[in-house]
């Protein structure tokens, strides 16, 4: 099944650090989008997100202007919470 291209925007600091704010990718979930951008940036996105997490910098994920929520809080010290989330 062919996936439609999705517009993905990294705003502010995140887009500037990655050096590309707008992406058009064939993805069907937030996790696929993050994984694709991470792969296309040679792991730069993952490193930036981990570094920012340690500085207590957080990001909102919006889908069609609405906050993306998750059932369980994510904890970088407990990889299971991240691996089981919709982000992955």
């Amino acid at each position: 099944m062919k996936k439609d291209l999705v517009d993905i925007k990294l705003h502010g600091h995140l887009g500037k650090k990655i050096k590309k704010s707008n992406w058009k990718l064939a993805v069907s979930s937030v996790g696929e989008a993050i994984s694709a951008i991470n792969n296309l940036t040679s792991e730069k996105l993952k490193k930036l997100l981990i570094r920012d997490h340690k500085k207590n910098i957080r990001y909102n994920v919006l889908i069609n202007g609405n906050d993306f929520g998750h059932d369980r809080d994510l904890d970088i010290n407990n990889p299971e919470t991240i691996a089981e989330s919709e982000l992955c």
Side-chain angles (χ1 to χ4, degrees), residues 35-76:
S35 180
I37 293 171
N38 189 54
N39 287 331
L40 291 167
T41 61
S42 302
E43 301 278 320
K44 191 172 185 177
L45 178 60
K46 180 173 103 175
K47 291 173 187 171
L48 178 62
L49 291 173
I50 290 171
R51 187 185 76 210
D52 285 352
H53 179 82
K54 289 177 181 176
K55 293 179 181 178
N56 208 28
I57 297 171
R58 303 288 187 263
Y59 295 96
N60 286 351
V61 175
L62 302 175
I63 300 173
N64 296 327
N66 298 310
D67 279 324
F68 169 78
H70 44 81
D71 297 336
R72 188 170 153 189
D73 286 337
L74 305 180
D75 179 2
I76 197 157

Side-chain angles (χ1 to χ4, degrees), residues 8-39:
I8 300 163
K9 295 180 182 167
L10 303 177
H11 294 272
H13 162 82
L14 196 55
K16 288 177 187 172
K17 289 291 184 178
I18 296 295
K19 297 188 176 162
K20 184 172 180 179
S21 297
N22 297 305
W23 302 79
K24 270 196 176 298
L25 301 171
V27 296
S28 58
S29 71
V30 173
E32 281 185 2
I34 291 171
S35 180
I37 293 171
N38 189 54
N39 287 331

